[in-house]
Amino acid sequence: MNIFTKIIVSKLHLADSVVENVLQLLDEGCTIPFIARYRKERTGGLNEVQIGLISEWNDRLNELVKRKQTICNTIEEQEKMTPELQKRIDDCWDSTELEDIYLPYKPKRRTRAQVARELGLAPLADIIMQQRERNVMQAAQRFVKEGVDSVSAAIDGAKDIIAENICENEQARQRLRNAFLHGAVITSKVVKTQKDTDEAAKYRDYFDFSEPLRRCSGNRLLAMRRGENEGILRINISVDNERAVSQLQRQFVRGYGDCALLVKEAAEDAYKRLLEPSIETEIAALYKQKADEEAIGVFAENLRQLLLAAPLGQKRVMGVDPGIRTGCKVVCLDAQGNLLYNDVAYPFPPKGNRKAAMRHFAEIVDEYDIEAIAVGNGTASRETSDILREAHYRKEGIHVFVVSEDGASVYSASKTAREEFPNEDVTVRGAVSIGRRLMDPLAELVKIDPKSIGVGQYQHDVDQAKLKKSLDITVASCVNSVGVNLNTASQHLLTYVSGLGPTLAKNIVEYRKQNGEFVSRVQLKKVPRLGPVAYEQCAGFLRIPNAENPLDNSAVHPESYGIVERMADDCGCSVDELIKDKTRQKGIDLNRYVTKEVGLPTLNDIMKELEKPGRDPRAEIELFEFDPNVKTIDDLHEGMLLPGIVTNITKFGAFVDIGVHQDGLVHISQLANKFVSDPATVVHLHEHVQVKVLAVDMQRRRISLTMKL
């Protein structure tokens, strides 16, 4: 077992063989969705999250190896490497400990201690540090020379060296680090000149705030840091300084002589000038990293729920981007999402009126045989939806759905939108995006930078590289869990399919344009640059409806077609007949088909696919309507029961749209009649809920809600 496997096994508590197999599959170029879906025998049935953690630890350890090499090279250049030091570095697999080992050799700017060393005061520092010299003044006299004009100057220089040595002492750093981890307090104060500004109002809770750092939630930490970055708050992280200094002095001071007194002074200087700022910065970065990870996790889970929202399916849809002054942008789409018509309707004064708009909408619906209507949830959404519902659509089975339009403006101005609709303006593209989101949220939202979709907390304050990586993984996971229609998928959607990417996705679309629709998965091998490895990784996630081989429209991987064909032969029927005959499926003894490579996990997956080939894991779409008597925040009063839609989930609660143009907050303590540690375990994005109004803050336009009914 190699060292990486050993470390990952200890961190994740997984079997040695499972971790080794996953690492081997990753080295072979397999993607996480492919490993989780089609290599269960080798992974012991690990899910994508577990495989992702193994991959993450593998990346982290590889980065640590690179860092070790850099450190060794630097120390060797200084000709200070020893066998003992080399072994310590080789055996170290903790990044913090590694940096502590490296600190004495790390190139620095020209410090006071460095100046003192250049003046030849290191021997004096050693004498003082040993604390055996009875006449330190006499010992220091020997070091008075050019550049060191007095005994006090020599002693001060020696103390600077001692202070830096104490700062670089691994034990001292770890003790102070532990003190911060267990006893640090974070405080936040408002900048006096900013206290009464409008910008500062949202940070009012942190004007005079203090709590133990270990209890400070990620969302509070990020909120305070944002306030600090905007110049409104000042943040400080501190421990009991007297206790910390005393502990440091006990470590280094021995006895009560003059040398001991000088070491005591040097230790206090080391703490105040070097150690405390260094460890405070380190701990602040550590808690910021934890807060980032928490926020990124919340964003990723919200994004997953949004992408996997229930699709309406292939219906003829009218997309409406509501507006008052500029009117409502209206588009009509066919069942494949192609743009058929666009117009502007004016339901509101001064340019139009309600009755004329209703007639206009009705004419469009009739002319294009519309089956459903998607209305963006922005300005005038509620009013526009009411107008549409008042018309004759309900009795004809034409329902109105309110759709999140977050990111629609980003898409409409993007290169992708320009390529799709080169002759249309941004308003038309935005309305098309709204309509398509109703038909298939996943296929449409993958075209938008996830950060622009607006379902996270403090996403602009976290590590952007880590955020992008996490969200890309989430999008890919969602795309592959649903599967992609090879003949209708956009280039953007194909990009996220396992084993593909921008180049192969573009090649597939170009091949489709030149040769017509794909009739089989095998045909993928004719796509330029799509080799055997890419084919293995992507084939099982691509669907071909009405293909000659029915398995091409399922999640059964081509490598398993032979197994299904054997099952059909044993049942005396064709594959197509086997898929349609549930009775024959139930009579199959899977143990007959177990081999060294294919076990029961894969065979069970195959049988699930035969029961319902190409099944969509997403739920069915549900209708929703707001309370017709509540339209603005002025209509609210305490105790009112209202229907709502969950629009965002954070670590501190869930935001709910109740139809008054301002989402209300259900605090985590109000989500259920029990203790809730994670809101995501109680509610999910776009869930239809019943809430009660607790309070309305008109000044800050904040609505407090509860689900404890």
Side-chain angles (χ1 to χ4, degrees):
M1 180 168 55
N2 65 44
I3 186 62
F4 278 24
T5 301
K6 186 177 181 180
I7 293 171
I8 296 172
V9 165
S10 68
K11 295 293 184 181
L12 303 181
H13 308 292
L14 297 171
D16 303 357
S17 58
V18 165
V19 172
E20 278 193 349
N21 285 340
V22 170
L23 292 177
Q24 184 179 350
L25 288 166
L26 290 169
D27 287 341
E28 291 170 0
C30 295
T31 67
I32 292 174
F34 176 82
I35 296 171
R37 182 68 176 80
Y38 296 113
R39 293 295 180 264
K40 291 183 177 178
E41 283 75 17
R42 295 184 63 182
T43 68
L46 296 184
N47 59 37
E48 286 191 26
V49 174
Q50 293 169 308
I51 297 169
L53 287 173
I54 293 174
S55 177
E56 184 180 318
W57 268 103
N58 186 48
D59 292 342
R60 192 182 303 179
L61 292 172
N62 274 310
E63 287 299 316
L64 197 57
V65 168
K66 293 178 183 177
R67 179 60 177 160
K68 284 185 177 187
Q69 189 58 55
T70 300
I71 288 172
C72 288
N73 291 342
T74 302
I75 297 175
E76 286 169 359
E77 288 173 2
Q78 299 172 17
E79 299 182 350
K80 294 180 179 179
M81 182 62 78
T82 65
E84 294 78 13
L85 180 57
Q86 182 70 64
K87 187 176 187 307
R88 286 201 67 198
I89 294 172
D90 291 342
D91 293 344
C92 179
W93 292 100
D94 179 272
S95 58
T96 301
E97 182 183 345
L98 180 64
E99 294 302 326
D100 280 353
I101 294 171
Y102 176 47
L103 188 58
Y105 310 95
K106 188 175 183 179
K108 310 175 184 69
R109 59 182 176 81
R110 200 159 180 265
T111 63
R112 284 162 46 176
Q114 183 61 33
V115 172
R117 290 190 185 95
E118 292 171 0
L119 292 171
L121 296 175
L124 178 59
D126 291 338
I127 292 171
I128 295 173
M129 196 64 192
Q130 290 171 7
Q131 302 172 57
R132 294 173 182 169
E133 179 66 48
R134 294 190 175 184
N135 193 335
V136 69
M137 294 296 180
Q138 185 176 348
Q141 184 65 49
R142 300 198 301 269
F143 293 89
V144 175
K145 56 183 177 179
E146 184 179 354
V148 183
D149 55 10
S150 65
V151 168
S152 62
I155 291 175
D156 287 343
K159 285 167 59 179
D160 287 339
I161 295 172
I162 294 170
E164 187 167 279
N165 289 342
I166 290 173
C167 176
E168 294 176 351
N169 181 273
E170 291 177 46
Q171 188 180 29
R173 295 184 69 84
Q174 190 55 48
R175 281 181 174 174
L176 185 56
R177 191 176 287 123
N178 289 335
F180 267 87
L181 288 172
H182 295 100
V185 173
I186 183 169
T187 58
S188 172
K189 302 285 185 182
V190 65
V191 176
K192 291 183 179 179
T193 56
Q194 299 292 321
K195 185 175 182 179
D196 298 320
T197 62
D198 293 339
E199 293 79 7
K202 58 186 175 183
Y203 298 108
R204 188 179 302 167
D205 294 341
Y206 303 107
F207 280 6
D208 188 11
F209 178 85
S210 176
E211 74 172 336
L213 181 61
R214 67 179 185 276
R215 295 180 186 170
C216 185
S217 66
N219 59 278
R220 289 201 294 274
L221 180 63
L222 291 175
M224 285 186 280
R225 286 182 65 97
R226 179 183 288 183
E228 183 178 48
N229 291 335
E230 292 177 5
I232 293 168
L233 303 175
R234 287 198 181 94
I235 300 173
N236 181 53
I237 297 173
S238 61
V239 293
D240 184 334
N241 289 332
E242 289 186 10
R243 182 177 179 182
V245 170
S246 177
Q247 186 180 53
L248 197 63
Q249 289 171 338
R250 285 198 301 272
Q251 180 181 344
F252 292 98
V253 177
R254 295 183 296 276
Y256 300 94
D258 291 342
C259 286
L261 180 61
L262 293 176
V263 173
K264 185 177 181 181
E265 292 171 355
E268 183 174 0
D269 176 51
Y271 175 81
K272 292 180 178 178
R273 182 168 58 87
L274 302 173
L275 258 177
E276 194 266 347
S278 173
I279 300 299
E280 179 188 348
T281 300
E282 179 186 313
I283 296 300
L286 174 65
Y287 275 85
K288 170 62 164 58
Q289 180 181 341
K290 289 181 178 179
D292 282 2
E293 290 172 354
E294 180 182 283
I296 290 170
V298 169
F299 197 133
E301 179 54 33
N302 285 350
L303 178 63
R304 178 182 298 278
Q305 294 182 22
L306 185 64
L307 293 175
L308 296 180
L312 179 67
Q314 292 189 325
K315 305 283 186 181
R316 294 179 297 278
V317 170
M318 174 195 287
V320 182
D321 186 359
I324 298 177
R325 183 179 58 82
T326 58
C328 297
K329 293 73 180 175
V330 182
V331 299
C332 294
L333 309 174
D334 67 15
Q336 286 71 46
N338 298 311
L339 177 63
L340 303 175
Y341 169 83
N342 71 84
D343 198 358
V344 180
Y346 294 93
F348 311 106
K351 288 189 177 182
N353 62 76
R354 192 183 191 93
K355 289 185 178 180
M358 288 176 65
R359 289 194 299 271
H360 189 183
F361 285 136
E363 291 170 359
I364 297 173
V365 167
D366 291 340
E367 183 175 352
Y368 291 93
D369 197 17
I370 294 300
E371 298 175 277
I373 299 172
V375 181
N377 67 342
T379 305
S381 169
R382 180 73 185 277
E383 296 80 358
T384 304
S385 299
D386 289 345
I387 290 173
L388 290 163
R389 288 193 179 101
E390 280 184 27
H392 59 274
Y393 307 147
R394 186 189 301 275
K395 64 182 181 181
E396 295 182 2
I398 301 174
H399 298 293
V400 178
F401 298 87
V402 176
V403 178
S404 170
E405 60 182 48
D406 285 339
S409 59
V410 174
Y411 161 77
S412 62
S414 69
K415 180 182 177 182
T416 303
R418 293 195 299 272
E419 289 174 349
E420 285 191 285
F421 304 104
N423 300 319
E424 307 296 345
D425 66 23
V426 292
T427 60
V428 173
R429 297 171 191 157
V432 169
S433 181
I434 289 170
R436 286 178 172 176
R437 291 182 191 199
L438 176 62
M439 299 168 70
D440 190 340
L442 178 60
E444 190 61 22
L445 291 173
V446 294
K447 302 173 184 176
I448 304 168
D449 182 350
K451 289 187 297 183
S452 302
I453 297 177
V455 289
Q457 62 180 60
Y458 303 104
Q459 59 264 33
H460 301 292
D461 302 294
V462 302
D463 186 308
Q464 295 301 294
K466 289 182 179 178
L467 176 63
K468 184 180 187 308
K469 181 178 179 181
S470 176
L471 298 186
D472 284 346
I473 290 172
T474 300
V475 174
S477 173
C478 292
V479 169
N480 289 290
S481 69
V482 171
V484 170
N485 186 327
L486 183 55
N487 287 321
T488 61
S490 67
Q491 181 178 326
H492 268 77
L493 189 58
L494 288 168
T495 297
Y496 288 100
V497 172
S498 169
L500 298 183
T503 300
L504 289 179
K506 181 179 180 181
N507 290 352
I508 288 173
V509 172
E510 289 299 321
Y511 182 91
R512 197 170 63 196
K513 288 179 181 177
Q514 295 171 12
N515 300 278
E517 292 188 347
F518 287 86
V519 296
S520 72
R521 282 171 168 168
V522 176
Q523 198 177 347
L524 279 164
K525 295 180 178 180
K526 297 180 180 180
V527 173
R529 300 182 67 179
L530 201 155
V533 174
Y535 176 76
E536 177 189 56
Q537 298 296 307
C538 75
F541 302 102
L542 297 170
R543 311 279 187 267
I544 305 176
N546 304 316
E548 182 177 339
N549 187 337
L551 295 177
D552 281 349
N553 191 36
S554 74
V556 177
H557 196 281
E559 66 187 10
S560 298
Y561 283 8
I563 296 172
V564 181
E565 289 163 0
R566 280 178 54 204
M567 291 177 178
D569 287 342
D570 293 344
C571 292
C573 65
S574 67
V575 170
D576 190 41
E577 289 170 335
L578 179 61
I579 291 174
K580 294 175 181 177
D581 192 337
K582 308 305 178 190
T583 303
R584 279 178 168 149
Q585 292 176 20
K586 290 179 181 178
I588 295 175
D589 178 10
L590 294 183
N591 290 306
R592 293 180 57 190
Y593 305 97
V594 173
T595 66
K596 184 178 180 180
E597 292 76 21
V598 180
L600 286 176
T602 295
L603 292 170
N604 284 324
D605 283 347
I606 290 173
M607 293 309 299
K608 289 178 183 177
E609 275 300 306
L610 296 182
E611 290 172 13
K612 191 177 179 182
R615 66 191 184 281
D616 193 323
R618 295 173 289 183
E620 292 186 4
I621 198 165
E622 297 178 357
L623 285 170
F624 174 85
E625 290 186 23
F626 293 113
D627 187 319
N629 300 314
V630 175
K631 297 185 178 180
T632 70
I633 195 170
D634 297 320
D635 296 328
L636 299 177
H637 60 76
E638 291 183 20
M640 182 178 283
L641 292 174
L642 297 169
I645 301 177
V646 177
T647 58
N648 200 3
I649 301 172
T650 69
K651 278 295 182 183
F652 55 84
F655 288 92
V656 177
D657 183 359
I658 53 176
V660 296
H661 308 294
Q662 176 64 51
D663 289 356
L665 172 64
V666 182
H667 188 266
I668 189 171
S669 62
Q670 297 296 325
L671 282 170
N673 292 310
K674 61 180 182 180
F675 174 75
V676 177
S677 60
D678 182 1
T681 62
V682 179
V683 292
H684 60 264
L685 211 60
H686 290 180
E687 180 179 355
H688 299 170
V689 296
Q690 282 286 118
V691 295
K692 181 194 291 184
V693 178
L694 284 180
V696 181
D697 184 341
M698 296 298 292
Q699 181 180 0
R700 293 195 285 178
R701 299 192 67 79
R702 290 185 177 180
I703 304 167
S704 298
L705 306 171
T706 181
M707 287 173 57
K708 294 180 176 180
L709 306 182

